[in-house]
Amino acid sequence: KAGVTQTPRYLIKTRGQQVTLSCSPISGHRSVSWYQQTPGQGLQFLFEYFSETQRNKGNFPGRFSGRQFSNSRSEMNVSTLELGDSALYLCASSTRTGGPKTQYFGPGTRLLVL
Amino acid sequence: DQQVKQNSPSLSVQEGRISILNCDYTNSMFDYFLWYKKYPAEGPTFLISISSIKDKNEDGRFTVFLNKSAKHLSLHIVPSQPGDSAVYFCAARGWNRDDKIIFGKGTRLHILP
């Protein structure tokens, strides 16, 4: 069974630009969550999508948005990039009904904002 | 406000000895706790969990202890092996499935030969 895939793996952008990251969940998983990992803040929850609907949202500004498609693939978008957005962005998929133990993470997309 | 705290950024332990990673939480509504392990260039992987109705859960070399009155949990790894060198994240969630999972900042464990 293929794992969670994230594209691209690495990305360099400049301040003010916008970026779209993609996440393909494990087959059969309908829940996708996004996290931001930085050295100073650890792993912070961005949002969760289930059946194309945002089910939960973390404390991030409106520049961070996401969506989920009917095939459960998800994208997150960050507009007007700031230097502080440099981080590892992780997505995780799960069956949701199975609880957090069924949550599997992808390898992440490392974003560098210059 | 950090609801899940891992106060030790790093920990070094001799191979074969016990590794103890600690985690404190502030939200008394947390009902379910998890530990994840992360290697460089990989996403975190689920390690072990415990619900608030238990005070101990064991899985092979890994044991998690929960002290609800102290709002403290710990992960014991016995015996420690070189492959255990990684970053360990403590995480917590309320009883409601819709509650988001809150992670700590992680502790980097180094297993020394």
Side-chain angles (χ1 to χ4, degrees), chain B residues 89-110:
Chain B
F89 290 97
C90 170
R93 195 199 70 180
W95 64 270
N96 190 323
R97 181 180 299 154
D98 287 332
D99 287 347
K100 56 194 177 191
I101 299 174
I102 307 296
F103 283 80
K105 293 186 180 182
T107 295
R108 184 175 297 278
L109 177 63
H110 300 270

Side-chain angles (χ1 to χ4, degrees), chain A residues 9 35 37 40-43 45 56-58 88 90 96-97 100-101 103 105-107, chain B residues 2 32 34 36 38 41-44 46 49 89 93 97-101 103-105:
Chain A
R9 292 293 309 277
Y35 295 86
Q37 186 190 0
Q41 296 298 320
L43 221 64
F45 174 80
N56 220 328
K57 192 177 190 314
L88 179 68
L90 293 158
R96 203 165 200 262
T97 54
K101 286 195 282 190
Q103 184 170 249
F105 282 84
Chain B
Q2 197 81 19
Y32 189 71
L34 310 96
Y36 288 84
K38 185 181 185 299
E42 294 182 15
F46 169 76
S49 64
F89 290 97
R93 195 199 70 180
R97 181 180 299 154
D98 287 332
D99 287 347
K100 56 194 177 191
I101 299 174
F103 283 80
K105 293 186 180 182

Side-chain angles (χ1 to χ4, degrees), chain A residues 12-18 80-83 111-114:
Chain A
I12 300 176
K13 292 284 188 179
T14 56
R15 277 182 302 174
Q17 287 187 307
Q18 68 97 24
T80 320
L81 283 165
E82 300 177 359
L83 295 180
L111 171 65
L112 177 61
V113 181
L114 301 175

Side-chain angles (χ1 to χ4, degrees), chain A residues 18-37:
Chain A
Q18 68 97 24
V19 67
T20 299
L21 311 181
S22 179
C23 172
S24 292
I26 290 172
S27 176
H29 284 191
R30 294 166 59 199
S31 170
V32 174
S33 297
W34 288 90
Y35 295 86
Q36 181 195 65
Q37 186 190 0

